[in-house]
Amino acid sequence: MAFRQEPPQLGNQYETDRALRSYLKRALPPEVLAEVEPELFELGGLAGGELYRMQLADRLNEPRLTQWDAWGERVDRIEVSPLWRVAERMAAERGLVATAYERRHGAHSRLHQLALAYLFTPATDIYSCPLAMTDGAARVLETSGNGTLVKNVLPHLVSRDPEKFWTSGQWMTELSGGSDVGASETIARRDGEGVWRLYGRKWFTSAAASQAALTLARPEGNPSGGRGLALFFVETRDREGRLRGIRIDRLKEKLGTRKVPTAELTLEGTPAVLVKGTTDGVRDIAPMLNVTRLWNAVSAAALMRRGATLARDYARRRTAFGSTLLEKPLHADTLAGLQAEADAALHLAFYAAELTGREEACELDERGARLLRLLTPLVKLTTGRAAVHAASETVEAFGGAGYVEDTGLPVLLRDAQVLSIWEGTTNVLSLDALRTALKDEVAFSSLKAEIESCAAAARDERLAHAARTAREAAGHADAWLSASAKGGQASLEAGARRFGMTLGRALALALLTRHAQWSLDVERATRAAAAARRFAHSAIDLISDHDPEDAAALLDD
Ligand code: MFK
């Protein structure tokens, strides 16, 4: 019989995720786990079954922008793909945002919600983008003290009823900069009736089909820079469904995340509501950034898991040179490395989720809050970079098939690339983390203490090397910071990425190690220890002193 290749398949994505299940067993009280597990099983089944089949069938569908109707009327209507329409309804019904705000399980509600997001994200082609922003907007409104928005808008963002559920965009990026938000040129002006109206261009607005958005604009007369901006809420359409002073100029032609209708917008007197004060918009939108960065990290871990799962399943089905790929020592070794990276990302992302949940339930002390401020950029930048690397390995694990579109595999690589770009690039977040570590000794010392405490928890000899590696890497980063702080701003900035990545990876290793000890003790299982040991042999300590003159010579024409 002629050779026939079976495609990779996915099982129940919760049931088969040993790393997630082991982590949740430690992180959640048994009664909470028992309550949330049925939802996770159900969503895991959909993610590996019906939704996966829909994803493959939906592969060529993309959002469509219709700017004019047949009779010359400007309509600027966006239609999203069939998969996204299903995802929107399902996200509302299953409380992908609501769960975090209902707080049925207090401080554990964030974990509950993000465990759902972890299963949902790889199954819905980046529908996590509008959900992340909606969650961020909900958090900003919840803590804004703006009674009107809390009463009229927040219930839509956290609704489980698909007819009431709204998603929110986060319109920040302008031509002048996606990173340097303080350079924004959008102007806010009050009209004769006292309504704020926005004028300007937003250059990269994800999920432009949303019913609402938070955005930044400069009230006329305000100074330049981030302090002169103010945070505004915008309801995008009126009761008849017409855009309110917004023109959608075009959809972006992106490398990946192609289901996400990312648009260029012109604001032509868009009515808007001031969320807080008339200044300090960057500071006021920061809670949203922290929530979307957390989603970014969870999505990175989830996409790494999806890639590793597909590659492992395929390796069982694919035969070459007389045996399955999984029986080939080098292929198995490569996949094991991929799995360890995915486990590390999972522990890092969910550790930030734990602290976020505690903060939201008012159970995090000042020290913890400051640790979380430093942690968020570190977690985002570390997992975002790791996800890009992992996606490339995943595609390669399929050989030529991974390079062919209708296998549904290349999209994993294209989509992963966004994770290190949006919500702050690796370098911008490295600088943010560096500034925070320098400015806030409490935050930095709490991070070092956390790494130390995780490493100290590892009593088993089999974890000794992993614990030592985490400790030494953190110590090296600490020593580098002290030495470089004396050397001047340029050398500090030049080393910021190595500093951030080292801290992020050292913390991931420390968390993995602590979990591995627990798993040895309680579950009598060695899988987590294997992940910690394997991850410990990857690049953890990236600190090194480079001669700035070498960099200059390399960049010289
Ligand atoms: C799957 C996940 C999907 C996610 C989908 C999202 C799609 C959305 C697409 C996008 O919107 S992409 C665009 C994302 N853009 C960014 O993330 C911006 C990246 N740039 C930065 O983060 C810069 O560091 C920053 C704009 C914040 C720098 O601006 P500034 O004007 O130099 O601000 P500065 O002075 O650093 O901070 C101003 C205040 O905010 C300070 O507080 P004070 O006024 O009290 O001194 C800061 O401490 C505070 N702040 C800044 N970042 C903060 C923060 N506070 C808490 N958390 C933070 N992260």
Side-chain angles (χ1 to χ4, degrees):
M1 202 170 84
F3 181 83
R4 191 177 155 268
Q5 180 58 51
E6 280 182 41
Q9 284 173 25
L10 295 171
N12 183 307
Q13 291 300 280
Y14 179 66
E15 189 175 9
T16 56
D17 193 331
R18 289 195 290 155
L20 175 65
R21 293 186 68 185
S22 172
Y23 165 73
L24 289 179
K25 197 168 158 194
R26 180 176 60 77
L28 293 176
E31 64 283 5
V32 174
L33 184 62
E35 264 196 59
V36 305
E37 264 204 323
E39 286 172 48
L40 299 173
F41 270 111
E42 244 184 75
L43 194 53
L46 287 168
E50 194 180 325
L51 285 170
Y52 183 47
R53 284 190 291 280
M54 281 194 71
Q55 279 181 293
L56 294 173
D58 199 62
R59 190 176 63 81
L60 295 174
N61 296 324
E62 293 192 352
R64 277 203 352 236
L65 168 64
T66 305
Q67 288 175 309
W68 304 95
D69 77 4
W71 309 102
E73 209 47 47
R74 182 98 194 199
V75 287
D76 287 354
R77 199 173 47 237
I78 294 176
E79 285 164 84
V80 296
S81 82
L83 175 70
W84 262 49
R85 288 201 292 277
V86 169
E88 180 163 27
R89 172 164 279 277
M90 200 181 266
E93 287 171 346
R94 291 180 180 270
L96 264 292
V97 178
T99 302
Y101 293 86
E102 293 161 352
R103 303 213 172 96
R104 272 193 292 139
H105 303 296
H108 301 300
S109 297
R110 261 292 163 199
L111 274 195
H112 175 194
Q113 176 225 13
L114 288 173
L116 292 170
Y118 174 90
L119 297 170
F120 191 72
T121 291
T124 47
D125 291 354
I126 319 293
Y127 193 75
S128 49
C129 168
L131 293 178
M133 295 189 293
T134 303
D135 189 347
R139 184 67 186 147
V140 166
L141 296 192
E142 188 185 51
T143 54
S144 67
N146 186 322
T148 311
L149 292 177
V150 168
K151 180 163 165 274
N152 297 335
V153 178
L154 187 57
H156 285 288
L157 304 181
V158 301
S159 176
R160 283 179 182 258
D161 177 352
E163 307 309 319
K164 285 201 192 127
F165 181 55
W166 285 2
T167 57
S168 168
Q170 167 189 309
W171 300 349
M172 295 206 307
T173 300
E174 301 196 3
L175 255 175
S176 51
S179 299
D180 187 3
V181 174
S184 297
E185 293 179 323
T186 297
I187 291 293
R189 190 179 298 143
R190 271 179 194 267
D191 68 13
E193 287 159 14
V195 175
W196 286 99
R197 294 196 174 267
L198 311 185
Y199 301 86
R201 275 176 92 190
K202 295 290 173 181
W203 183 239
F204 202 98
T205 59
S206 287
S210 290
Q211 293 85 350
L214 290 187
T215 189
L216 297 172
R218 196 175 310 280
E220 253 180 342
N222 270 15
S224 59
R227 286 207 191 287
L229 293 169
L231 177 60
F232 289 93
F233 168 79
V234 168
E235 196 175 327
T236 52
R237 291 180 188 268
D238 62 19
R239 291 218 168 110
E240 280 72 48
R242 287 181 304 238
L243 283 166
R244 302 168 84 217
I246 301 167
R247 208 172 62 219
I248 303 182
D249 296 321
R250 58 175 164 163
L251 295 184
K252 291 290 198 190
E253 183 81 33
K254 292 171 295 174
L255 169 71
T257 67
R258 291 184 69 94
K259 307 277 162 158
V260 183
T262 305
E264 289 169 28
L265 306 179
T266 299
L267 308 183
E268 312 173 293
T270 313
V273 175
L274 206 53
V275 176
K276 292 177 92 173
T278 52
T279 58
D280 294 300
V282 170
R283 190 183 62 204
D284 290 344
I285 204 169
M288 182 173 204
L289 300 184
N290 291 334
V291 170
T292 50
R293 286 169 187 174
L294 179 59
W295 271 79
N296 204 91
V298 170
S299 299
L303 290 169
M304 289 166 80
R305 171 74 44 196
R306 166 64 61 102
T309 305
L310 285 169
R312 200 179 57 230
D313 184 78
Y314 183 69
R316 288 205 183 95
R317 296 172 194 278
R318 174 75 174 169
T319 298
F321 301 111
S323 66
T324 66
L325 294 186
L326 206 57
E327 290 162 322
K328 312 273 180 215
L330 180 53
H331 196 75
D333 183 78
T334 307
L335 295 191
L338 210 52
Q339 204 76 45
E341 286 283 338
D343 280 28
L346 174 101
H347 281 274
L348 200 51
F350 278 96
Y351 176 61
E354 281 175 43
L355 292 195
T356 302
R358 283 169 49 200
E359 182 172 62
E360 291 168 343
C362 304
E363 289 177 16
L364 195 65
D365 60 15
E366 170 70 13
R367 205 175 161 81
R370 286 159 80 166
L371 168 61
L372 181 58
R373 169 68 185 93
L374 174 58
L375 197 66
T376 305
L378 291 177
V379 166
K380 193 281 188 184
L381 74 92
T382 306
T383 54
R385 265 280 116 219
V388 178
H389 180 75
S392 168
E393 282 290 7
T394 298
V395 164
E396 191 171 332
F398 287 84
Y403 205 64
V404 172
E405 290 291 349
D406 57 4
T407 60
L409 295 165
V411 69
L412 293 172
L413 179 55
R414 283 200 302 271
D415 284 355
Q417 183 63 68
V418 83
L419 296 166
S420 67
I421 296 176
W422 68 9
E423 291 315 303
T425 62
T426 311
N427 282 2
V428 165
L429 291 181
S430 298
L431 292 170
D432 181 50
L434 175 72
R435 276 195 303 272
T436 307
L438 282 169
K439 201 167 68 182
D440 189 346
E441 174 49 32
V442 173
F444 190 40
S445 63
S446 303
L447 178 67
K448 289 182 288 183
E450 189 61 22
I451 293 173
E452 177 52 38
S453 131
C454 288
R459 288 170 281 99
D460 195 288
E461 193 45 40
R462 286 167 289 181
L463 296 171
H465 172 260
R468 196 168 57 246
T469 304
R471 245 188 208 123
E472 286 175 2
H476 199 185
D478 188 18
W480 173 84
L481 188 66
S482 304
S484 305
K486 293 180 198 127
Q489 192 60 22
S491 60
L492 266 174
E493 282 194 20
R497 181 197 276 239
R498 288 184 285 272
F499 175 71
M501 292 288 275
T502 299
L503 286 176
R505 290 181 73 80
L507 177 61
L509 177 57
L511 293 165
L512 259 182
T513 306
R514 180 181 63 178
H515 183 74
Q517 183 66 59
W518 172 87
S519 182
L520 287 171
D521 293 343
V522 177
E523 298 182 308
R524 304 265 164 233
T526 55
R527 186 194 176 283
R533 285 146 56 90
R534 175 65 193 234
F535 188 65
H537 285 286
S538 69
I540 304 293
D541 184 352
L542 302 167
I543 300 291
S544 62
D545 288 319
H546 291 278
D547 187 340
E549 284 181 16
D550 283 347
L554 285 164
L555 298 178
D556 210 3
D557 286 337

